[in-house]
Amino acid sequence: MAWVYLFVSGLLETVWAAALSQSRGFSRLGPSVLFGVALFLSMGGLALALRELPVGTAYAIWVGIGAVGTAVYGMVALGEPATTARLLCLLAIVAGVVGLKVLH
């Protein structure tokens, strides 16, 4: 179950990062509330995962999922550039996350 908590928490990191951007410095209520809720749930899920997983592995995977998810969101929803170099770098992060899971 720890891996499920970790994966969902990583996805929620993407949600809170996107909401933080949309809050425009906490000047918009809806995105600001979504940021707070997603942040709380993301940290809570990470805390639950850390009951069973080593902190180094869990944190690296959590950050990796959030970083890749946020970058993909930026490219798909916000029109950020999807260059070959950028996609290769994201692929390297995914490979690292998968490697950490496999080697656990």
Side-chain angles (χ1 to χ4, degrees), residues 14-89:
T14 298
V15 172
W16 68 251
L20 180 61
S21 173
Q22 295 301 312
S23 77
R24 307 286 187 251
F26 299 115
S27 66
R28 298 176 60 212
L29 181 60
S32 297
V33 170
L34 179 59
F35 163 77
V37 170
L39 179 65
F40 177 79
L41 293 174
S42 180
M43 292 293 174
L46 178 60
L48 290 173
L50 288 174
R51 290 179 176 176
E52 297 179 32
L53 301 174
V55 67
T57 299
Y59 185 73
I61 290 173
W62 179 76
V63 168
I65 293 169
V68 170
T70 304
V72 169
Y73 168 78
M75 288 183 281
V76 172
L78 303 177
E80 295 177 6
T83 64
T84 301
R86 190 172 191 189
L87 294 173
L88 287 173
C89 290

